[in-house]
Amino acid sequence: MLLLIVARLSDAVWLEGFEVFFCRSVAMLRVVATWMGVAAQQVGTHVEEFHPEMPLWTCDGAGCAKEVKSVVLDSNWRWIHNGQYTNCYKDGDWDPTLCPDPVTCAANCHMEGNSEEQYKKTYGIKTLDDGLRLDFVSTTKYGSNFGSRVYMLDTADKYKVFKLKNREFTLTVDMYYMPCGLNGAVYFVEMDADGGKANAEKSGGNNKAGAKYGTGYCDAQCPHDMKFMQGKANVVGWNASHTPPIGKWGACCAEMDIWEANSKATAYTPHPCSFTGVYVCEGVDCGDNAKEERYDGVCDKDGCDFNSYRLGARDFYGRGKDFELNARKKMTVVTQFITEGNTDDGDLIDIRRFYVQDGKVIPNSNVSLAGVSGNSVTDKVCADMKSAFGDIDDFTRKGGLKAMGEALDRGMVLVMSLWDDEEANMLWLDSDYPLNKDPSIPGVSRGPCATDTGLPAYLREKYAEARVKYSKIKVGTIGSTFTGSDDDEDDDDDGIWDDDRRLQELHI
């Protein structure tokens, strides 16, 4: 008998007899056995935790130095138990004996590790010589997993903290096997370096697992699905009948999206918040859509998204030789965080983007929209874009680039993921969104994909071989992280990977 549970990203199960369906904000678990649980705060002893290696280059005018770092899978995928074999969370709800309140639950529940084999075969997280490959579908005899999310570690129990003001961040991406509806995302969030262990102690919580086990996630959407926040279980007001199950609290922090993309559309987006560090919200501060309080919360959920297609440059990025950036070939993505006076302590005033493909430096596309000009993220471009689209300018209200720069200066953690979207089918990235608006209205059409091709069930069946590669991650002074790119062959056979654009978008 199949037991169907819909949960936000924090649900995980023991490795025997399950399927995990992952998206960035929603995970669906199809369970065929009784071993299941969610991200908790104590440490289990059944499986020793393994961390896949990943290189990082740090650059300046004299060149680049390579370090070997590692990554850790988000804590949501881990079996949680009472120290033996009794689950803390089952059928979308908490065990009332083990979890009668937030503090007792965190003290009672133990988080298990994942082995090297589980990283590769169960979750599809595979090391490359110069980076990482994330597979969309990974199937074992026990079931299937869809997508993943990992964080870069500095040491075995601390996240790598990046400070990017007056710096540039560069990576190479391979998006060939990324169709409409999927999102290969690389971004930074203001997570605690220790995964929230110290803050948990200060607030009376209990988090013994920490960054070693991928705890402490937060972002600008203030997700309510996280089962534990700062060492306390999110059991208060828990709604197990909601899809996905959610609690009263949300996990908020500033977010800088470097690369959100498939092979049809891409965007980079700063999301400032009106506080520092990690904030556990409740009520209006969370900015919940269901309560029509999206723009009353503490974070800018919309952000200032630079999506070339949405901004009128519809031949800039896509599959094939007709596009200036050919997503069938590898490309290097360079993001520069420019400060006033070009100093480390100056305010952030510009987030610039350009690319390197086939040895050629390609500037970011220019905005082709009445009343807006530019090819980077500045406060003026953001304000003008919001006005042209008729959007609420929450970006400016939350402090704009100055606030984003302050978060970058405090330090942020690198996140890499591959996900599908149970909530909006990724239409906000690559199609028309919202669906109740005419696509001819400026800002509604965000990419060339059909509005029915982002359904997770469809993607999981048709694109089981989808995958993304992130490699050659570099950080350094402005202009120091790139020298060019090798040629990457491109043939004319796209197979199934170009099936889902609107007919009028196809090059015939």
Side-chain angles (χ1 to χ4, degrees), residues 34 82 113 158 263 288 336 415:
T34 59
N82 68 339
K158 290 287 179 68
S263 61
D288 294 337
Q336 297 180 331
V415 185

Side-chain angles (χ1 to χ4, degrees), residues 93-411:
D93 212 346
W94 300 94
D95 182 291
T97 302
L98 293 171
C99 295
D101 60 73
V103 174
T104 302
C105 185
N108 285 338
C109 296
H110 296 244
M111 178 182 300
E112 206 57 66
N114 288 312
S115 68
E116 180 177 6
E117 183 177 12
Q118 289 163 359
Y119 266 91
K120 292 178 180 178
K121 294 184 178 180
T122 303
Y123 303 110
I125 300 167
K126 301 171 181 177
T127 57
L128 307 171
D129 288 342
D130 56 0
L132 199 67
R133 166 177 157 175
L134 304 181
D135 293 347
F136 179 43
V137 179
S138 300
T139 301
T140 69
K141 64 181 180 179
Y142 303 117
S144 296
N145 173 74
F146 298 86
S148 59
R149 184 172 70 202
V150 299
Y151 314 119
M152 180 171 281
L153 290 164
D154 194 24
T155 64
D157 57 1
K158 290 287 179 68
Y159 297 128
K160 170 68 177 176
V161 175
F162 291 79
K163 297 187 176 183
L164 295 173
K165 266 181 37 177
N166 197 33
R167 298 292 187 272
E168 68 184 26
F169 178 83
T170 295
L171 77 158
T172 296
V173 297
D174 184 346
M175 308 301 292
Y176 186 97
Y177 298 101
M178 289 288 290
C180 291
L182 291 184
N183 189 342
V186 177
Y187 57 109
F188 290 92
V189 294
E190 199 178 352
M191 295 167 63
D192 293 329
D194 65 356
K197 292 176 73 173
N199 275 331
E201 185 176 349
K202 291 177 183 177
S203 63
N206 194 333
N207 180 358
K208 305 300 184 192
K212 181 177 180 179
Y213 292 83
T215 67
Y217 182 72
C218 57
D219 65 37
Q221 303 306 314
C222 300
H224 285 273
D225 60 320
M226 306 308 295
K227 301 298 189 295
F228 286 84
M229 301 178 193
Q230 295 185 346
K232 298 177 183 178
N234 194 11
V235 298
V236 178
W238 187 258
N239 184 355
S241 63
H242 188 274
T243 304
I246 56 174
K248 179 180 180 180
W249 301 335
C252 311
C253 65
E255 175 181 349
M256 177 65 226
D257 297 328
I258 297 290
W259 179 257
E260 290 196 287
N262 50 48
S263 61
K264 309 297 183 66
T266 184
Y268 73 103
T269 310
H271 296 268
C273 298
S274 59
F275 58 91
T276 64
V278 181
Y279 176 64
V280 176
C281 71
E282 57 182 285
V284 175
D285 280 354
C286 298
D288 294 337
N289 292 335
K291 299 176 183 177
E292 299 184 351
E293 296 172 345
R294 181 176 182 85
Y295 301 104
D296 299 321
V298 293
C299 289
D300 173 24
K301 295 190 173 187
D302 290 354
C304 176
D305 60 311
F306 198 106
N307 176 329
S308 295
Y309 190 100
R310 191 183 187 208
L311 292 169
R314 299 195 170 184
D315 290 325
F316 182 68
Y317 176 90
R319 298 189 69 90
K321 300 173 183 177
D322 292 337
F323 295 92
E324 192 164 359
L325 278 173
N326 183 357
R328 289 164 44 142
K329 306 173 72 174
K330 290 184 295 184
M331 67 186 73
T332 297
V333 182
V334 183
T335 308
Q336 297 180 331
F337 297 90
I338 307 300
T339 59
E340 188 172 13
N342 298 313
T343 62
D344 291 355
D345 58 357
D347 289 341
L348 182 67
I349 59 173
D350 196 355
I351 305 176
R352 296 177 185 167
R353 164 61 55 83
F354 58 91
Y355 304 86
V356 184
Q357 191 172 62
D358 292 340
K360 177 184 177 183
V361 176
I362 302 172
N364 195 27
S365 60
N366 287 303
V367 177
S368 180
L369 188 69
V372 189
S373 62
N375 72 341
S376 64
V377 174
T378 66
D379 284 332
K380 185 176 189 314
V381 167
C382 293
D384 291 346
M385 179 177 68
K386 299 287 186 180
S387 177
F389 292 156
D391 292 341
I392 293 173
D393 188 2
D394 207 30
F395 180 75
T396 298
R397 297 197 310 195
K398 295 299 190 296
L401 285 184
K402 185 177 188 297
M404 189 73 251
E406 290 168 353
L408 292 170
D409 204 26
R410 292 189 295 268

Side-chain angles (χ1 to χ4, degrees), residues 10 31 69 119 151 183 276 284 387 403 437 446 478 506:
S10 301
V31 183
K69 301 298 183 182
Y119 266 91
Y151 314 119
N183 189 342
T276 64
V284 175
S387 177
K437 289 190 175 182
R446 298 148 187 264
I478 300 296
L506 297 175

Side-chain angles (χ1 to χ4, degrees), residues 48-66:
E48 183 177 357
E49 174 66 8
F50 173 80
H51 292 148
E53 290 185 346
M54 185 171 193
L56 170 69
W57 285 264
T58 302
C59 308
D60 58 23
C64 296
K66 178 182 178 182

Side-chain angles (χ1 to χ4, degrees), residues 439-451:
S440 66
I441 297 174
V444 173
S445 187
R446 298 148 187 264
C449 299
T451 57

